[in-house]
Amino acid sequence: MLLSGLSRLEYRGYDSAGIALYSRPFTVVKAVGKLKELKKKVAASGECELPCTMGIGHTRWATHGKADEKNAHPHLSMHKEVVLVHNGIIENFADLKNFLQEKGYSFYSDTDTEVAVNLIEYFYLKEKSVLKALLAVQKELKGSYAFAIMFKDDANTLYAMRKDSPLVVGKGENGFYPASDVSAFLDYTKEFYKLENKEIISLTENEIHIYNKNGEEVKRSSTVAELDSSMIHKGEYLHFMEKEIFEQPQAVQDTLLYACDKENNEFSYEAFSMSEKDFRDITRVRVIACGSAYHAGYVLKSVCESLARVPVQVELASEFRYNHPILEDGEIVIGISQSGETADTLAAIKEAKKLGAKTLSIVNVNGSAIAGESDFVFYTQAGPEIAVATTKAYSCQLVAGYIFSLLLAKAKGKIGDEEARSLKEELFNLPGKIQQCLSLDSETLPMAKKLKDDKNIFFLGRGLDWAVSMEGALKLKEISYIHCESYSSGELKHGTISLIEKDSPVIALISQEELAAKSISNIHEVKSRGAECFAFTMEDISVEEDDFAQILSVPKTQPLFAGSLLVVPLQFLSYQVSLLKGLDPDKPRNLAKSVTVE
């Protein structure tokens, strides 16, 4: 059961993995590498065959200390009274470690987690009460954590607590399942409890008790997950990434329908938990995000400024707080995150609120931390996304940005009813056109074969194409390990062209009619210096076949929405290059799906 749950959560980290079983003393098995290495060790361990009714497990993404067995979770306290697993990062672990060393504690690992488990043991031995000990620890820890904890003296109770890291508890017929994500226990139950920040829980076979930060018990109703266990299985597909690419038409359709008022089938301000006045009061937009969500923000900027004529600034969430941001009256800050748990984006949303700005989150997980922290929220309908390299969640973020921009343009009176209807109609045509793009799977394979052995690949685009090319470059670099960079082709002569030499691969995105001639002129410049060029275009845009080693065209759409179609063959390209190189596209090295630490 533990190994099954961990297999559902391996996307969160796979540097190492381990389990601890309550067997008095604890049985702990750990292994470096992916979960399959732990499975081998468990299978070979006679200790794991003992009858057991309670255990914890973890897949690690290294933050403190390298990925080796001593740093793998679970971690035991020095006197072996306590064992725990931890998702998050303890920021003041060095000070706490010094404190514990003064109390006679020694350490076998380099992790902040071992400090946490020893601090719990210290207070437990001092207070002689688990709840008092956990409340005391909560006051001492700075940073983020979700802990699952077992105590040697309590054979029947599992404890858990959280602060700024996700934690839910599945309720089964014969037990409870605390986890970072509901996907861990969907094979056993769909009923679960959401935990609020700084809550502590105790679980027995039949009872759950929830305590707030003051130690007072609180009552909580369970909820039922809308997800189905089939959503977290690969089914007929070789990898989750492939499955999720093919799920994009449905995910985009579901997100469009979610945004519509059920009575008149029009896009609704309420889908963003906002009113028309809230939109009308917006004078500026600031998008804060990381990775692919950051790239989705640049597409939102292009669409919003074009339709609504409202200025949009896009910032990396990790830089926002440290740039001493100046927010104006009427400015709304939009945080975009698939998981809704991205630590930098969460911190940036909190900072924006502290500075007095209204905040909107675009997230894919109901009840996530960023959603809870924001004034307004829009939930994309991508469903579970397991592959580390995002595909369908990014596509749903694009659609959320389109709808936001359209509603803002309507509220501001920048577009009339007829234009709004036309744009909406074209948005609802996108799922069918994305479905058409899925047939480009085989057409990207020849390009992938040509690119798989390259060391450097350049992506070029103008305007919105540049925004999409950033996502194409990231997708290819993160799962193929080829150095890829995206450049605005208008900047070629300001330095980038010096990198072009014979046979340098250049991938050009050309979907914007008004910029097509300029983009093709830029291609001529790199081609004349020996580059081998490839093109992703939109139908009806004329390009010369002689300029390119290969041309792929997507169906015609409103140019502002072209990114939703161009990104599909770019996803296929990165997926196929990864396979041709013998890599695992679902689990790229050094990366994890949910980046819940800075």
Side-chain angles (χ1 to χ4, degrees):
M1 190 174 286
L2 287 170
L3 293 173
S4 170
L6 290 181
S7 71
R8 305 283 172 251
L9 296 180
E10 197 177 9
Y11 68 90
R12 287 183 171 267
Y14 36 84
D15 293 334
S16 60
I19 60 171
L21 308 176
Y22 187 92
S23 53
R24 195 172 177 89
F26 302 117
T27 298
V28 178
V29 184
K30 303 196 256 189
V32 177
K34 295 182 181 178
L35 188 61
K36 63 182 180 181
E37 302 303 323
L38 177 65
K39 290 179 177 178
K40 290 177 188 175
K41 287 191 73 171
V42 169
S45 172
E47 294 178 336
C48 292
E49 296 174 6
L50 295 172
C52 182
T53 60
M54 185 164 66
I56 56 178
H58 185 61
T59 60
R60 180 174 185 246
W61 185 63
T63 54
H64 292 84
K66 63 183 180 181
D68 58 17
E69 198 166 301
K70 71 174 184 179
N71 290 326
H73 299 209
H75 280 289
L76 271 167
S77 60
M78 189 177 80
H79 301 296
K80 297 182 171 50
E81 294 285 338
V82 188
V83 64
L84 65 68
V85 292
H86 168 212
N87 173 33
I89 188 165
I90 307 303
E91 295 174 358
N92 62 332
F93 83 101
D95 292 338
L96 294 172
K97 189 172 187 176
N98 290 336
F99 167 78
L100 289 166
Q101 285 172 330
E102 291 174 1
K103 300 295 183 182
Y105 276 84
S106 59
F107 296 84
Y108 59 82
S109 79
D110 305 312
T111 67
D112 56 336
T113 302
E114 191 190 0
V115 173
V117 74
N118 279 313
L119 191 68
I120 291 172
E121 182 186 79
Y122 169 78
F123 279 108
Y124 173 63
L125 295 175
K126 178 181 177 182
E127 300 287 350
K128 308 300 182 187
S129 160
V130 171
L131 183 58
K132 287 182 180 178
L134 297 181
L135 289 168
V137 166
Q138 197 174 67
K139 293 175 182 177
E140 298 295 330
L141 295 178
K142 295 179 182 178
S144 62
Y145 54 80
F147 295 138
I149 316 160
M150 295 190 296
F151 290 80
K152 187 182 74 175
D153 294 336
D154 196 336
N156 300 308
T157 312
L158 184 66
Y159 296 87
M161 57 195 289
R162 71 165 291 239
K163 175 182 175 289
D164 297 336
S165 285
L167 184 64
V168 291
V169 181
K171 180 184 179 183
E173 290 183 9
N174 300 304
F176 291 91
Y177 313 93
S180 301
D181 191 306
V182 294
S183 61
F185 49 73
L186 276 182
D187 286 338
Y188 309 107
T189 181
K190 295 175 71 172
E191 186 178 0
F192 70 100
Y193 295 89
K194 295 178 184 177
L195 290 212
E196 302 298 329
N197 227 18
K198 293 190 175 181
E199 286 188 333
I200 297 169
I201 56 170
S202 68
L203 305 166
T204 62
E205 182 180 350
N206 300 309
E207 293 184 353
I208 178 171
H209 297 278
I210 305 174
Y211 304 92
N212 63 21
K213 63 182 180 180
N214 299 316
E216 302 161 338
E217 186 164 2
V218 295
K219 297 299 180 183
R220 180 81 37 81
S221 298
S222 61
T223 187
V224 176
E226 297 177 0
L227 308 178
D228 188 87
S229 61
S230 64
M231 296 170 135
I232 57 172
H233 294 278
K234 284 182 284 198
E236 65 188 34
Y237 296 96
L238 188 61
H239 295 96
F240 278 109
M241 183 176 179
E242 181 188 23
K243 177 177 183 273
E244 288 156 10
I245 290 172
F246 278 89
E247 288 176 338
Q248 287 177 116
Q250 188 63 56
V252 168
Q253 176 85 4
D254 290 345
T255 300
L256 288 166
L257 291 172
Y258 169 83
C260 285
D261 184 288
K262 300 303 178 283
E263 291 183 7
N264 57 23
N265 203 34
E266 294 294 330
F267 288 135
S268 166
Y269 299 104
E270 285 73 25
F272 291 81
S273 57
M274 298 170 70
S275 66
E276 183 176 359
K277 182 181 183 303
D278 290 325
F279 272 87
R280 204 162 45 241
D281 290 344
I282 295 171
T283 58
R284 295 181 66 89
V285 176
R286 181 98 54 135
V287 178
I288 49 176
C290 306
S292 293
Y294 175 69
H295 301 155
Y298 268 100
V299 176
L300 186 154
K301 172 182 170 68
S302 291
V303 178
C304 189
E305 291 185 340
S306 177
L307 289 180
R309 307 304 298 152
V310 171
V312 180
Q313 185 173 337
V314 185
E315 287 193 52
L316 287 166
S318 55
E319 297 295 326
F320 175 77
R321 286 177 294 155
Y322 307 109
N323 286 339
H324 308 292
I326 302 169
L327 301 177
E328 299 180 4
D329 289 343
E331 186 165 0
I332 190 168
V333 175
I334 303 178
I336 307 177
S337 166
Q338 186 280 138
S339 67
E341 305 289 345
T342 309
D344 289 310
T345 307
L346 177 60
I349 286 286
K350 289 180 178 179
E351 180 68 14
K353 288 188 73 175
K354 191 167 71 174
L355 294 172
K358 292 291 186 183
T359 55
L360 163 67
S361 59
I362 297 174
V363 297
N364 192 46
V365 179
N366 198 303
S368 53
I370 292 172
E373 193 67 38
S374 303
D375 297 305
F376 313 115
V377 61
F378 181 94
Y379 287 113
T380 56
Q381 303 297 301
E385 189 177 64
I386 308 300
V388 168
T390 182
T391 51
K392 61 176 181 173
Y394 169 83
S395 288
C396 290
Q397 289 165 356
L398 292 185
V399 168
Y402 302 155
I403 299 167
F404 173 85
S405 302
L406 194 156
L407 288 172
L408 183 59
K410 280 186 67 177
K412 292 285 189 181
K414 298 298 182 182
I415 60 173
D417 290 342
E418 186 175 342
E419 185 177 0
R421 277 194 298 273
S422 175
L423 290 168
K424 180 198 163 192
E425 182 178 334
E426 189 52 39
L427 282 174
F428 271 92
N429 287 333
L430 281 180
K433 291 179 179 180
I434 294 172
Q435 187 70 44
Q436 290 177 252
C437 290
L438 295 178
S439 66
L440 296 173
D441 186 7
S442 58
E443 292 187 43
T444 55
L445 186 56
M447 191 185 302
K449 289 178 177 177
K450 289 182 179 180
L451 296 174
K452 71 180 179 66
D453 295 320
D454 284 303
K455 303 299 181 187
N456 300 284
I457 299 176
F458 302 96
F459 285 71
L460 297 179
R462 300 292 296 264
L464 190 142
D465 285 334
W466 177 41
V468 180
S469 78
M470 288 192 282
E471 175 61 11
L474 174 62
K475 203 59 61 235
L476 186 51
K477 78 173 73 167
E478 66 184 336
I479 63 171
S480 75
Y481 316 149
I482 297 172
H483 174 243
C484 304
E485 291 299 335
S486 168
Y487 297 96
S488 168
S489 47
E491 288 295 292
L492 275 172
K493 291 186 284 292
H494 296 279
T496 308
I497 204 165
S498 67
L499 298 173
I500 301 298
E501 53 191 8
K502 189 177 185 305
D503 296 327
S504 292
V506 173
I507 296 174
L509 274 62
I510 310 172
S511 72
Q512 307 298 299
E513 185 67 50
E514 63 180 353
L515 290 167
K518 293 182 183 296
S519 294
I520 292 167
S521 175
N522 297 140
I523 288 301
H524 290 159
E525 291 172 345
V526 294
K527 188 175 172 61
S528 68
R529 287 158 176 84
E532 183 178 34
C533 300
F534 303 84
F536 290 79
T537 70
M538 192 160 66
E539 288 176 0
D540 294 349
I541 289 185
S542 177
V543 295
E544 294 292 332
E545 289 188 12
D546 291 345
D547 288 337
F548 299 97
Q550 188 176 348
I551 300 169
L552 287 177
S553 294
V554 300
K556 185 173 177 59
T557 187
Q558 216 289 346
L560 291 174
F561 308 149
S564 290
L565 305 183
L566 287 173
V567 76
V568 177
L570 290 171
Q571 293 165 350
F572 278 134
L573 177 66
S574 59
Y575 175 70
Q576 288 164 345
V577 171
S578 180
L579 293 187
L580 289 168
K581 290 170 71 73
L583 304 172
D584 184 347
D586 284 347
K587 301 168 186 173
R589 68 188 181 201
N590 303 330
L591 298 177
K593 182 68 174 173
S594 300
V595 185
T596 54
V597 297
E598 280 197 75

